[in-house]
């Protein structure tokens, strides 16, 4: 197999109950109607996840363990590795 780079926009990532990539919330950035989470999935590798604020949903905190997955396979853009 060839090496590839996968690009996914933050708003196309979701925190899911299980599956996906396990990680730890490193930063929480409330931005109006959305919350941006910085999630470290491996040492030195982090992702930004943008979620809409929903009425009674709890805001995750730094240090929380989460699982992150794309909202759909179409959200993933695959390019040959440089």
């Amino acid at each position: 197999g060839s090496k590839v780079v996968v690009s996914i926009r933050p708003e196309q990532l979701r925190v899911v109950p299980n599956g996906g990539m396990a990680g730890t919330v490193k930063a929480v950035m409330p931005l109006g109607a959305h919350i941006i989470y910085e999630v470290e999935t491996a040492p030195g590798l982090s992702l930004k996840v943008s979620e809409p604020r929903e009425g009674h949903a709890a805001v995750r905190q730094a240090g929380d363990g989460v699982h992150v997955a794309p909202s759909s396979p179409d959200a993933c853009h695959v390019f040959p590795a440089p």
Side-chain angles (χ1 to χ4, degrees):
S2 299
K3 290 186 177 188
V4 297
V5 173
V6 178
S7 174
I8 306 170
R9 295 196 50 83
E11 62 272 13
Q12 296 296 321
L13 289 170
R14 298 287 178 264
V15 175
V16 295
N18 51 41
M21 294 181 285
T24 303
V25 175
K26 292 298 183 182
V28 180
M29 298 163 269
L31 298 174
H34 287 82
I35 300 173
I36 307 293
Y37 297 104
E38 183 172 339
V39 178
E40 185 177 60
T41 57
L45 177 63
S46 64
L47 305 171
K48 298 260 191 304
V49 179
S50 176
E51 288 192 322
R53 283 191 195 218
E54 296 181 359
H56 303 296
V59 175
R60 292 163 182 85
Q61 302 298 316
D64 287 355
V66 296
H67 292 264
V68 178
S71 58
S72 77
D74 293 335
C76 302
H77 302 281
V78 180
F79 304 96

Coordinates of all heavy atoms in Angstrom, one line a residue:
G1 N 0.8 -1.2 0.0 CA 0.0 0.0 0.0 C 0.8 1.3 0.0 O 1.9 1.3 0.6
S2 N 0.3 2.2 -0.7 CA 1.0 3.5 -0.7 C 0.6 4.4 0.5 O -0.5 4.2 1.0 CB 0.5 4.3 -2.0 OG 0.9 3.6 -3.1
K3 N 1.5 5.3 0.8 CA 1.2 6.2 1.9 C 0.4 7.3 1.4 O 0.5 7.7 0.3 CB 2.5 6.8 2.5 CG 3.3 5.8 3.3 CD 4.5 6.4 3.9 CE 5.3 5.4 4.7 NZ 6.3 6.1 5.5
V4 N -0.6 7.7 2.3 CA -1.5 8.8 1.9 C -1.7 9.8 3.0 O -1.3 9.5 4.1 CB -2.9 8.2 1.6 CG1 -2.9 7.3 0.4 CG2 -3.6 7.6 2.7
V5 N -2.2 11.0 2.7 CA -2.6 12.0 3.7 C -4.1 12.1 3.6 O -4.7 12.2 2.5 CB -1.9 13.3 3.3 CG1 -2.4 14.4 4.2 CG2 -0.4 13.2 3.4
V6 N -4.8 12.1 4.8 CA -6.2 12.2 4.8 C -6.5 13.6 5.4 O -6.0 13.9 6.5 CB -6.9 11.1 5.7 CG1 -8.4 11.3 5.8 CG2 -6.5 9.7 5.1
S7 N -7.4 14.3 4.8 CA -7.8 15.6 5.2 C -9.3 15.6 5.5 O -10.1 15.2 4.7 CB -7.5 16.7 4.1 OG -8.0 17.9 4.5
I8 N -9.6 16.1 6.7 CA -11.0 16.2 7.2 C -11.2 17.5 7.8 O -10.5 17.9 8.8 CB -11.4 15.1 8.2 CG1 -11.0 13.7 7.6 CG2 -12.9 15.1 8.5 CD1 -11.1 12.6 8.6
R9 N -12.2 18.3 7.4 CA -12.5 19.6 8.0 C -13.0 19.4 9.5 O -13.7 18.4 9.7 CB -13.5 20.4 7.2 CG -12.9 20.7 5.8 CD -13.7 21.8 5.1 NE -13.9 23.0 5.9 CZ -13.1 24.0 6.0 NH1 -11.9 24.0 5.5 NH2 -13.5 25.1 6.7
P10 N -12.7 20.3 10.4 CA -13.1 20.1 11.8 C -14.6 19.9 12.0 O -15.1 19.1 12.8 CB -12.7 21.4 12.5 CG -11.6 21.9 11.7 CD -11.9 21.5 10.2
E11 N -15.4 20.6 11.1 CA -16.9 20.4 11.3 C -17.4 19.1 10.7 O -18.6 18.8 10.9 CB -17.6 21.6 10.6 CG -17.4 21.7 9.1 CD -16.2 22.6 8.7 OE1 -15.3 22.9 9.6 OE2 -16.1 22.9 7.5
Q12 N -16.5 18.3 10.1 CA -16.9 17.0 9.6 C -16.5 15.9 10.5 O -16.6 14.7 10.3 CB -16.3 16.8 8.2 CG -16.8 17.7 7.2 CD -18.3 17.6 6.9 OE1 -18.8 16.5 6.9 NE2 -19.0 18.7 6.7
L13 N -15.9 16.3 11.7 CA -15.5 15.3 12.7 C -16.5 15.3 13.8 O -17.1 16.4 14.1 CB -14.1 15.6 13.3 CG -12.9 15.4 12.4 CD1 -11.7 15.9 13.0 CD2 -12.8 13.9 12.1
R14 N -16.8 14.2 14.4 CA -17.7 14.1 15.5 C -17.1 13.3 16.7 O -16.3 12.4 16.5 CB -19.0 13.3 15.1 CG -19.7 13.9 13.9 CD -20.5 15.2 14.4 NE -21.2 15.9 13.4 CZ -20.7 16.9 12.7 NH1 -19.5 17.4 13.0 NH2 -21.5 17.5 11.8
V15 N -17.5 13.7 17.9 CA -17.2 12.9 19.0 C -18.3 11.8 19.1 O -19.5 12.1 19.0 CB -17.2 13.7 20.3 CG1 -17.0 12.8 21.5 CG2 -16.1 14.8 20.2
V16 N -17.8 10.5 19.1 CA -18.7 9.4 19.1 C -18.6 8.5 20.4 O -17.5 8.6 21.0 CB -18.5 8.5 17.8 CG1 -18.8 9.3 16.6 CG2 -17.0 8.0 17.8
P17 N -19.6 7.7 20.7 CA -19.5 7.0 21.9 C -18.4 5.9 21.9 O -17.8 5.6 23.0 CB -20.9 6.3 22.0 CG -21.8 6.9 21.0 CD -20.9 7.6 20.0
N18 N -18.1 5.3 20.8 CA -17.1 4.3 20.7 C -16.6 4.2 19.2 O -17.3 4.7 18.3 CB -17.5 3.0 21.3 CG -18.8 2.5 20.7 OD1 -19.0 2.6 19.5 ND2 -19.6 2.0 21.5
G19 N -15.5 3.5 19.0 CA -15.0 3.4 17.6 C -14.2 4.6 17.3 O -13.9 5.5 18.2
G20 N -13.8 4.8 16.0 CA -13.1 5.9 15.6 C -11.7 5.9 16.3 O -11.1 4.9 16.6
M21 N -11.1 7.1 16.5 CA -9.8 7.3 17.1 C -10.0 7.7 18.5 O -10.7 8.7 18.8 CB -9.0 8.3 16.3 CG -8.6 7.9 14.9 SD -7.6 9.1 14.1 CE -8.8 10.3 13.7
A22 N -9.3 7.0 19.4 CA -9.4 7.4 20.8 C -8.5 8.6 21.0 O -7.4 8.7 20.4 CB -9.0 6.3 21.7
G23 N -8.8 9.5 21.9 CA -8.0 10.7 22.2 C -8.4 11.3 23.5 O -9.3 10.9 24.2
T24 N -7.7 12.4 23.8 CA -7.9 13.2 25.0 C -8.1 14.6 24.7 O -7.3 15.2 23.9 CB -6.7 13.1 26.0 OG1 -6.4 11.7 26.2 CG2 -6.9 13.8 27.3
V25 N -9.2 15.2 25.2 CA -9.4 16.7 25.0 C -8.3 17.5 25.7 O -8.0 17.3 26.9 CB -10.8 17.1 25.6 CG1 -11.0 18.6 25.4 CG2 -11.9 16.3 24.9
K26 N -7.6 18.3 24.9 CA -6.5 19.1 25.4 C -7.0 20.5 25.6 O -6.4 21.2 26.4 CB -5.3 19.1 24.4 CG -4.6 17.7 24.4 CD -4.1 17.4 25.8 CE -3.4 16.1 25.8 NZ -2.9 15.7 27.1
A27 N -7.9 21.0 24.8 CA -8.4 22.4 24.9 C -9.8 22.5 24.4 O -10.3 21.7 23.6 CB -7.5 23.3 24.0
V28 N -10.6 23.4 25.1 CA -12.0 23.6 24.8 C -12.1 25.1 24.4 O -11.7 26.0 25.2 CB -12.9 23.3 26.0 CG1 -14.3 23.5 25.7 CG2 -12.6 21.9 26.4
M29 N -12.6 25.4 23.2 CA -12.8 26.8 22.8 C -14.2 27.1 22.4 O -14.7 26.7 21.3 CB -11.9 27.0 21.6 CG -10.4 26.9 21.9 SD -9.4 26.7 20.5 CE -9.4 24.9 20.3
P30 N -15.0 27.6 23.3 CA -16.4 28.0 23.0 C -16.4 29.2 22.1 O -15.9 30.2 22.4 CB -17.1 28.3 24.4 CG -16.0 28.1 25.4 CD -14.7 27.9 24.7
L31 N -17.1 29.0 20.9 CA -17.2 30.1 19.9 C -18.6 30.3 19.5 O -19.0 29.8 18.5 CB -16.3 29.8 18.7 CG -14.8 29.6 19.0 CD1 -14.1 29.1 17.7 CD2 -14.2 30.9 19.5
G32 N -19.4 31.0 20.3 CA -20.8 31.2 20.0 C -21.6 29.9 19.9 O -21.7 29.2 20.8
A33 N -22.1 29.7 18.7 CA -23.0 28.5 18.5 C -22.2 27.2 18.4 O -22.8 26.1 18.3 CB -23.8 28.7 17.2
H34 N -20.9 27.3 18.3 CA -20.1 26.0 18.2 C -19.0 26.0 19.3 O -18.7 27.0 19.9 CB -19.4 26.0 16.9 CG -20.3 25.7 15.7 ND1 -21.0 26.7 15.1 CD2 -20.6 24.5 15.1 CE1 -21.8 26.1 14.2 NE2 -21.5 24.8 14.1
I35 N -18.6 24.8 19.6 CA -17.5 24.5 20.5 C -16.4 23.8 19.7 O -16.7 22.8 19.0 CB -17.9 23.7 21.7 CG1 -19.0 24.4 22.5 CG2 -16.7 23.4 22.6 CD1 -19.6 23.6 23.6
I36 N -15.2 24.3 19.8 CA -14.0 23.7 19.1 C -13.2 22.9 20.2 O -12.9 23.5 21.2 CB -13.1 24.7 18.4 CG1 -13.9 25.6 17.5 CG2 -11.9 24.0 17.7 CD1 -14.4 25.0 16.3
Y37 N -13.0 21.7 20.0 CA -12.2 20.9 20.9 C -10.9 20.5 20.2 O -10.9 20.2 19.0 CB -12.9 19.5 21.2 CG -14.2 19.7 22.0 CD1 -15.4 19.5 21.3 CD2 -14.2 20.0 23.3 CE1 -16.6 19.7 22.0 CE2 -15.4 20.2 24.0 CZ -16.6 20.0 23.4 OH -17.7 20.1 24.0
E38 N -9.8 20.7 20.9 CA -8.5 20.1 20.4 C -8.3 18.8 21.0 O -8.3 18.7 22.3 CB -7.3 21.1 20.7 CG -6.0 20.5 20.1 CD -4.9 21.5 20.3 OE1 -5.2 22.7 20.4 OE2 -3.8 21.1 20.2
V39 N -8.2 17.7 20.2 CA -8.2 16.4 20.7 C -6.8 15.8 20.3 O -6.5 15.7 19.1 CB -9.3 15.5 20.2 CG1 -9.2 14.1 20.7 CG2 -10.7 16.1 20.6
E40 N -6.0 15.3 21.3 CA -4.8 14.7 21.0 C -5.1 13.2 20.9 O -5.6 12.5 21.8 CB -3.8 14.9 22.1 CG -2.4 14.3 21.8 CD -1.4 14.6 22.9 OE1 -1.7 14.2 24.1 OE2 -0.4 15.3 22.7
T41 N -4.8 12.6 19.7 CA -5.0 11.2 19.4 C -3.8 10.3 19.5 O -3.9 9.1 19.6 CB -5.6 11.0 18.0 OG1 -4.7 11.6 17.0 CG2 -7.0 11.7 17.9
A42 N -2.6 10.9 19.5 CA -1.3 10.3 19.7 C -0.4 11.3 20.1 O -0.6 12.5 19.9 CB -0.9 9.6 18.5
P43 N 0.8 11.0 20.8 CA 1.7 12.0 21.1 C 2.1 12.8 19.9 O 2.5 12.3 18.9 CB 2.9 11.2 21.7 CG 2.3 9.9 22.2 CD 1.2 9.6 21.2
G44 N 1.9 14.1 20.0 CA 2.3 15.0 19.0 C 1.3 15.1 17.8 O 1.5 15.9 16.9
L45 N 0.2 14.4 17.9 CA -0.8 14.5 16.8 C -2.2 14.9 17.4 O -2.7 14.2 18.3 CB -1.0 13.1 16.2 CG -2.1 13.0 15.1 CD1 -1.8 13.9 13.9 CD2 -2.3 11.6 14.7
S46 N -2.7 16.0 17.0 CA -4.0 16.5 17.5 C -4.9 16.9 16.3 O -4.4 17.2 15.2 CB -3.8 17.7 18.4 OG -3.2 18.8 17.8
L47 N -6.2 16.8 16.6 CA -7.2 17.2 15.7 C -8.1 18.3 16.3 O -8.2 18.3 17.5 CB -8.1 15.9 15.4 CG -7.4 14.7 15.0 CD1 -8.5 13.5 15.0 CD2 -6.9 14.9 13.6
K48 N -8.7 19.1 15.4 CA -9.7 20.0 15.9 C -11.1 19.4 15.5 O -11.3 19.0 14.4 CB -9.5 21.4 15.2 CG -8.2 22.0 15.5 CD -8.3 23.1 16.5 CE -7.1 23.9 16.7 NZ -5.9 23.3 17.0
V49 N -12.0 19.5 16.5 CA -13.3 19.0 16.3 C -14.3 20.1 16.6 O -14.2 20.7 17.6 CB -13.7 17.8 17.2 CG1 -15.1 17.3 17.0 CG2 -12.7 16.7 17.0
S50 N -15.1 20.5 15.6 CA -16.1 21.6 15.8 C -17.5 21.0 15.9 O -18.0 20.3 15.0 CB -16.1 22.5 14.6 OG -17.1 23.5 14.7
E51 N -18.1 21.2 17.1 CA -19.5 20.7 17.3 C -20.4 21.8 17.6 O -20.1 22.8 18.3 CB -19.5 19.7 18.5 CG -18.8 18.4 18.3 CD -19.1 17.4 19.4 OE1 -19.2 17.9 20.6 OE2 -19.3 16.3 19.1
P52 N -21.7 21.7 17.1 CA -22.6 22.7 17.5 C -23.0 22.6 19.0 O -23.0 21.5 19.5 CB -23.8 22.4 16.6 CG -23.7 21.0 16.1 CD -22.2 20.7 16.2
R53 N -23.3 23.7 19.6 CA -23.8 23.7 21.0 C -25.2 23.2 20.9 O -26.0 23.8 20.2 CB -23.7 25.0 21.6 CG -22.4 25.5 22.0 CD -22.5 26.7 22.9 NE -21.2 27.3 23.0 CZ -20.8 27.9 24.2 NH1 -21.6 27.9 25.2 NH2 -19.6 28.5 24.2
E54 N -25.5 22.2 21.7 CA -26.9 21.7 21.7 C -27.4 21.9 23.2 O -26.7 21.7 24.1 CB -26.9 20.3 21.3 CG -26.5 20.1 19.9 CD -26.5 18.7 19.4 OE1 -26.9 17.8 20.2 OE2 -26.2 18.4 18.2
G55 N -28.6 22.4 23.3 CA -29.3 22.7 24.5 C -28.7 22.2 25.8 O -28.1 23.0 26.5
H56 N -28.9 21.0 26.1 CA -28.5 20.5 27.4 C -27.3 19.6 27.3 O -26.9 18.9 28.3 CB -29.7 19.7 28.0 CG -30.9 20.5 28.2 ND1 -30.9 21.6 29.0 CD2 -32.1 20.4 27.6 CE1 -32.1 22.2 28.9 NE2 -32.9 21.5 28.0
A57 N -26.6 19.5 26.2 CA -25.5 18.6 26.0 C -24.3 19.2 26.9 O -24.1 20.4 27.0 CB -25.0 18.6 24.6
A58 N -23.7 18.3 27.6 CA -22.5 18.7 28.5 C -21.3 19.1 27.6 O -21.1 18.5 26.6 CB -22.2 17.5 29.4
V59 N -20.7 20.1 28.0 CA -19.4 20.5 27.4 C -18.3 19.7 27.9 O -18.2 19.5 29.1 CB -19.1 22.0 27.6 CG1 -17.8 22.4 27.1 CG2 -20.3 22.9 27.1
R60 N -17.5 19.1 27.0 CA -16.4 18.3 27.4 C -15.3 19.2 28.0 O -15.2 20.4 27.7 CB -15.9 17.5 26.2 CG -16.9 16.5 25.8 CD -16.6 16.0 24.4 NE -17.6 15.0 24.0 CZ -18.7 15.3 23.4 NH1 -19.1 16.6 23.2 NH2 -19.6 14.4 23.1
Q61 N -14.5 18.6 28.9 CA -13.5 19.4 29.6 C -12.1 18.8 29.2 O -12.0 17.7 28.8 CB -13.7 19.2 31.1 CG -15.0 19.7 31.6 CD -15.3 21.2 31.3 OE1 -14.4 22.0 31.5 NE2 -16.5 21.5 30.8
A62 N -11.1 19.7 29.3 CA -9.7 19.2 29.1 C -9.5 18.0 30.0 O -9.8 18.0 31.2 CB -8.8 20.4 29.4
G63 N -8.9 17.0 29.4 CA -8.6 15.8 30.1 C -9.6 14.7 29.9 O -9.3 13.5 30.2
D64 N -10.7 15.0 29.4 CA -11.8 14.0 29.1 C -11.3 13.1 27.9 O -10.7 13.5 26.9 CB -13.1 14.6 28.6 CG -13.9 15.3 29.7 OD1 -13.4 15.2 30.9 OD2 -14.9 15.9 29.4
G65 N -11.5 11.8 28.1 CA -11.2 10.8 27.0 C -12.4 10.8 26.1 O -13.6 10.8 26.5
V66 N -12.1 10.8 24.8 CA -13.2 10.8 23.8 C -12.8 9.9 22.6 O -11.6 9.5 22.5 CB -13.5 12.2 23.2 CG1 -14.1 13.1 24.3 CG2 -12.3 12.9 22.6
H67 N -13.7 9.6 21.7 CA -13.5 8.9 20.5 C -13.9 9.9 19.4 O -15.0 10.5 19.4 CB -14.2 7.6 20.4 CG -13.7 6.6 21.3 ND1 -12.8 5.6 21.0 CD2 -14.0 6.4 22.6 CE1 -12.5 4.9 22.0 NE2 -13.2 5.3 23.1
V68 N -13.1 10.0 18.3 CA -13.4 10.9 17.2 C -13.5 10.1 15.9 O -12.7 9.3 15.6 CB -12.3 12.0 17.1 CG1 -12.5 12.9 15.9 CG2 -12.2 12.8 18.4
A69 N -14.6 10.5 15.1 CA -14.7 9.8 13.8 C -15.3 10.8 12.8 O -16.0 11.8 13.2 CB -15.7 8.6 13.9
P70 N -15.1 10.6 11.5 CA -15.7 11.5 10.5 C -17.2 11.3 10.5 O -17.7 10.2 10.8 CB -15.1 10.9 9.2 CG -14.0 10.0 9.5 CD -14.2 9.6 10.9
S71 N -17.9 12.4 10.1 CA -19.4 12.3 10.1 C -19.9 11.3 9.0 O -20.9 10.8 9.1 CB -20.0 13.7 9.9 OG -19.5 14.2 8.7
S72 N -19.1 11.2 7.9 CA -19.4 10.2 6.9 C -18.1 9.9 6.1 O -17.1 10.7 6.2 CB -20.4 10.8 5.9 OG -19.9 11.7 5.0
P73 N -18.0 8.8 5.3 CA -16.9 8.5 4.5 C -16.6 9.7 3.5 O -15.4 9.9 3.1 CB -17.2 7.2 3.8 CG -18.2 6.6 4.7 CD -19.0 7.7 5.3
D74 N -17.6 10.3 3.0 CA -17.4 11.4 2.1 C -16.7 12.6 2.7 O -16.3 13.5 1.9 CB -18.8 11.9 1.5 CG -19.5 10.8 0.7 OD1 -18.7 9.9 0.1 OD2 -20.7 10.8 0.6
A75 N -16.6 12.7 4.0 CA -15.9 13.8 4.6 C -14.4 13.7 4.5 O -13.7 14.6 4.8 CB -16.3 13.9 6.1
C76 N -13.9 12.5 4.2 CA -12.5 12.2 4.1 C -12.0 12.5 2.7 O -12.5 12.0 1.7 CB -12.2 10.8 4.5 SG -12.8 10.3 6.1
H77 N -10.9 13.3 2.6 CA -10.3 13.6 1.3 C -8.9 13.0 1.4 O -8.1 13.3 2.3 CB -10.2 15.1 1.1 CG -11.6 15.7 1.1 ND1 -12.5 15.7 0.0 CD2 -12.2 16.4 2.1 CE1 -13.6 16.3 0.3 NE2 -13.5 16.7 1.6
V78 N -8.6 12.1 0.4 CA -7.4 11.3 0.5 C -6.4 11.8 -0.7 O -6.9 12.0 -1.8 CB -7.7 9.8 0.3 CG1 -6.4 9.0 0.3 CG2 -8.6 9.4 1.4
F79 N -5.2 12.1 -0.3 CA -4.2 12.6 -1.2 C -2.9 11.7 -1.1 O -2.7 11.2 0.0 CB -3.8 14.0 -0.9 CG -4.9 15.0 -0.9 CD1 -5.6 15.3 0.3 CD2 -5.4 15.5 -2.1 CE1 -6.6 16.2 0.3 CE2 -6.5 16.4 -2.0 CZ -7.1 16.7 -0.8
P80 N -2.2 11.5 -2.2 CA -0.9 10.8 -2.1 C 0.0 11.6 -1.1 O 0.0 12.8 -1.1 CB -0.3 10.9 -3.5 CG -1.4 11.3 -4.4 CD -2.4 12.0 -3.5
A81 N 0.8 10.8 -0.3 CA 1.7 11.4 0.6 C 2.8 12.1 -0.1 O 3.3 11.6 -1.2 CB 2.3 10.4 1.6
P82 N 3.3 13.2 0.3 CA 4.4 13.9 -0.4 C 5.7 13.1 -0.3 O 5.9 12.3 0.6 CB 4.5 15.2 0.4 CG 3.8 15.1 1.6 CD 2.9 14.0 1.5

